[in-house]
Amino acid sequence: MRFTFKGAAAMLALTTALALPASAELTGDLRIFFNDQNPAPRAAIEGAVERFQALHPGLNIDLTLIDREANKTQIRNYLTANAPDVNGWYAGNRMRPYVSAGLFEDVSDLWEGPMGEELASTLPALTLDGKQWGVPYSYYQWGIYYREDIYAELGLTPAATWEEEKANCQVILDSGRKCYAIGSRHPWTTGGWFDYLNLRTHGYDFHMELTAGEVAWTDERVRETFAKWRELLDMGAFIDNPTAYDWQEALPFVVNGEATAYLMGNFVVAPLKEAGLTDDNLGFYPFPEITPGIPRAEDAPTDTLHIPAQAQNKEAARAFLLYVASAENQALMNEILGQLPINSTAEVGDDKFIQAGFEMLSTAPGGIAQFFDRDTDAEMASVGMEGFQEFMMFPDNLDEILNRLDAVRQRVAAR
């Protein structure tokens, strides 16, 4: 699906020229491949392109929208033959294969100015080999969504530490409720639990080394992470038989008060509200500290734009990435997306969960992880999350699970 914006933006350029700041004239063609055809992402990128076109009327911008799943199979082909000037992708280890193959342009120079300070929370996620390889435009938080009214009834406040979390959980269990809902029929939901337990136990750097395949799954530090998980399993903290439900089918446990919390991305808010919860009885808090002193890192799947190494108009591509990173543009794009701007100076809506997520992610000193199935190899992610699913049901199988995961790690590394 392709769009050419020079003609479409002509009137916008005329009507806004007096209000726009002076900028260097860009000419030629700018080809953008964007990896989402869904209505909100499409509207967000089209708006950004139209505004940039108005700033640079001498530029011919051609936007191609590609389905997310199709893009995953097409990206290597188009990066090596007839590459666009800008393409959509993801941060973290998901960009590593294309950096290693020399298919992404080094854009470290863009991060040396104010942009680097404004997007500082995602700097580690866009950094490989000490250089930056793209620019983020949107992310959303993960964390614990909980029943504020039940916490108030039980005299509880959101936990800041692991010991407080377990103490709260015991009070909840004693009241006849479960602490956490989870639907793991599709095992990706277990990836959030592993990510946070590992990030809070050992920190961002170790987590990224593990997901990059540089640490054995049989490493004692990995066992320590699973030991924390088992503490909750042994308490009976989770709803029974989670593999019987997908993530949405597990929501009624929270809505009905049979469980008090759900570790999930911010997309969980809409269906919880549609089921009857409100801002008065639904709250949010970050996953609590486990190992004291480890800088707080968060899961926040981040959407990014990159410049292919074979791009033809790198000057215009760099200017577009700088524009996409600006506070004004990120506020506009993410209002459409219903997600969070990464620029720390951007305005955000007054929704309490958006506000909480923006504050949490903008002040995360430890870094931003991308979620397990984005941070690791696709085969490793699939087998890993199946292992997490099995562990939740049969924790005594841990040795077998870790040996199996490490065999896959070694096979992936040997490719």
Side-chain angles (χ1 to χ4, degrees):
M1 190 177 299
R2 297 179 60 190
F3 303 87
T4 300
F5 281 85
K6 184 174 175 62
M11 185 58 67
L12 179 62
L14 290 173
T15 58
T16 60
L18 294 177
L20 293 170
S23 56
E25 182 60 24
L26 297 173
T27 59
D29 299 325
L30 178 65
R31 296 172 60 236
I32 301 170
F33 283 7
F34 185 71
N35 57 325
D36 205 326
Q37 294 181 338
N38 289 310
R42 170 180 169 173
I45 190 64
E46 288 179 354
V49 168
E50 288 177 1
R51 292 188 296 275
F52 186 72
Q53 177 74 85
L55 284 167
H56 303 284
L59 199 60
N60 299 308
I61 306 179
D62 184 81
L63 172 64
T64 299
L65 301 176
I66 307 173
D67 174 77
R68 272 186 179 262
E69 295 306 312
N71 189 65
K72 293 175 183 177
T73 62
Q74 295 175 15
I75 180 172
R76 186 173 288 273
N77 290 336
Y78 70 65
L79 289 177
T80 55
N82 196 29
D85 301 298
V86 174
N87 75 286
W89 193 238
Y90 310 107
N93 284 325
R94 286 296 292 273
M95 69 180 183
R96 183 181 294 274
Y98 309 105
V99 172
S100 299
L103 297 175
F104 278 168
E105 180 84 354
D106 175 4
V107 294
S108 302
D109 56 306
L110 302 183
W111 288 80
E112 291 172 357
M115 189 190 85
E117 298 177 7
E118 295 166 356
L119 306 182
S121 66
T122 57
L123 177 63
L126 272 299
T127 301
L128 290 173
D129 303 324
K131 301 175 181 179
Q132 289 74 54
W133 302 94
V135 167
Y137 63 88
S138 179
Y139 57 9
Y140 61 88
Q141 82 265 25
W142 272 67
I144 298 177
Y145 294 82
Y146 74 105
R147 288 288 300 269
E148 283 188 325
D149 54 338
I150 297 176
Y151 269 48
E153 172 195 330
L154 299 176
L156 304 177
T157 57
T161 69
W162 185 240
E163 294 307 315
E164 291 174 0
E165 183 74 18
K166 290 189 296 179
N168 281 355
C169 184
Q170 189 59 59
V171 173
I172 293 165
L173 291 169
D174 291 344
S175 76
R177 304 173 175 96
K178 292 291 187 179
C179 306
Y180 313 108
I182 181 173
S184 61
R185 179 191 301 152
H186 306 299
W188 64 267
T189 55
T190 64
W193 276 97
F194 177 79
D195 280 358
Y196 270 106
L197 289 163
N198 200 45
L199 287 166
R200 293 292 189 265
T201 304
H202 299 298
Y204 178 86
D205 289 343
F206 175 78
H207 185 71
M208 298 308 291
E209 290 167 4
L210 178 67
T211 54
E214 298 168 4
V215 175
W217 281 90
T218 52
D219 188 288
E220 186 59 34
R221 291 168 293 182
V222 179
R223 294 181 184 278
E224 291 173 2
T225 295
F226 280 95
K228 296 298 182 184
W229 204 344
R230 179 143 192 179
E231 290 176 13
L232 298 180
L233 294 172
D234 287 347
M235 293 175 68
F238 296 91
I239 62 171
D240 297 331
N241 197 24
T243 56
Y245 313 97
D246 66 22
W247 77 270
Q248 291 168 307
E249 291 167 343
L251 294 176
F253 288 95
V254 178
V255 175
N256 297 333
E258 299 169 72
T260 60
Y262 211 136
L263 176 65
M264 188 54 68
N266 195 58
F267 52 82
V268 78
V269 172
L272 285 173
K273 287 186 174 181
E274 289 167 5
L277 298 185
T278 69
D279 286 353
D280 293 331
N281 54 25
L282 182 63
F284 171 84
Y285 65 97
F287 200 95
E289 177 186 76
I290 294 180
T291 302
I294 287 183
R296 177 174 56 81
E298 302 292 344
D299 256 352
T302 305
D303 293 319
T304 55
L305 294 176
H306 304 263
I307 301 176
Q310 296 184 29
Q312 297 300 303
N313 195 343
K314 294 182 180 179
E315 179 185 8
R318 275 180 154 76
F320 183 68
L321 262 60
L322 277 173
Y323 177 73
V324 165
S326 68
E328 177 186 8
N329 175 70
Q330 292 214 348
L332 292 169
M333 288 187 72
N334 283 283
E335 182 178 5
I336 295 170
L337 291 168
Q339 297 187 169
L340 290 165
I342 296 163
N343 191 305
S344 61
T345 65
E347 293 185 7
V348 296
D350 57 5
D351 175 87
K352 81 171 193 177
F353 299 102
I354 291 291
Q355 289 278 351
F358 186 69
E359 171 65 21
M360 181 183 77
L361 297 182
S362 298
T363 59
I368 300 297
Q370 297 304 299
F371 199 78
F372 188 77
D373 63 357
R374 287 193 184 190
D375 274 329
T376 195
D377 172 85
E379 180 184 2
M380 187 73 249
S382 177
V383 176
M385 291 185 295
E386 289 173 359
F388 305 157
Q389 178 195 55
E390 179 182 347
F391 175 74
M392 289 194 70
M393 299 301 294
F394 307 104
D396 288 340
N397 292 1
L398 181 61
D399 287 345
E400 178 184 341
I401 292 168
L402 293 182
N403 287 333
R404 186 167 69 242
L405 267 56
D406 203 59
V408 174
R409 179 191 69 86
Q410 293 179 52
R411 183 168 69 247
V412 168
R415 287 176 186 163

